[in-house]
Amino acid sequence: MRRLILLAAATLPLLASPAAAQSVGVTGPKATASVNVMKPLQLTAMRNLQFGTVLVGTFTGNQNVTITPGGRTCGSGAGLTCSGVFSTAQYRVSGTNNQVALISSATPTVTLSNGAGATLTMTPTFPASVTFTNSGNQGVLFEVGGTLSFNSAMADGLYTGTLEIQVAYQ
């Protein structure tokens, strides 16, 4: 009898264990998988930003020279005279049709230096975004302008700096 009780006690956990898991399918709408494949963005500088020549006369405070797609504004009164060739910078960005590329600058200002220690600070201006109306190398052109602030004590020289324009998909 004792053997029977021990045998029953040993088999009881096997009888009390849960049943094997049961497979159940989805009863409502099924999940889907998707992926949006896009071309990598390509950004090419097509033209440099040029302010031309600025003759700095006598004035108080600061005066600005601004280049936009619409033209050049040279100061707000006497003291600055602008001449020579000027243009906005021009970029071509290409990517996937019907997508939006956001445009930004790596820094909010660009430092231009004359190589002798004097600097000018330029604030670049550009569109916030562009929408691709085609795919491939045609891309979309956009322009980058800027504003330089002058005072009458500016040192002579050719001032240069590097624009760091960036694009990213929205």
Side-chain angles (χ1 to χ4, degrees), residues 16-97:
S17 66
Q22 191 176 19
S23 178
V24 176
V26 175
T27 57
K30 295 186 175 147
T32 62
S34 65
V35 61
N36 186 14
V37 177
M38 299 184 348
K39 292 177 172 61
L41 289 171
Q42 294 182 349
L43 181 65
T44 306
M46 306 298 288
R47 181 178 67 216
N48 292 323
L49 175 59
Q50 296 182 39
F51 283 85
T53 299
V54 179
L55 177 62
V56 179
T58 303
F59 56 91
T60 57
N62 292 325
Q63 289 201 34
N64 295 333
V65 175
T66 301
I67 303 293
T68 66
R72 174 174 58 193
T73 304
C74 189
S76 58
L80 289 183
T81 303
C82 296
S83 63
V85 175
F86 66 92
S87 67
T88 56
Q90 186 178 64
Y91 289 85
R92 178 186 311 277
V93 60
S94 59
T96 297
N97 192 27

Side-chain angles (χ1 to χ4, degrees), residues 119-139:
T119 60
L120 279 169
T121 301
M122 184 195 75
T123 303
T125 56
F126 42 84
S129 64
V130 294
T131 301
F132 297 110
T133 57
N134 58 52
S135 288
N137 292 331
Q138 308 91 312

Side-chain angles (χ1 to χ4, degrees), residues 1-12:
M1 177 82 153
R2 187 175 175 167
R3 280 188 186 179
L4 185 58
I5 292 175
L6 286 175
L7 182 60
T11 58
L12 186 60

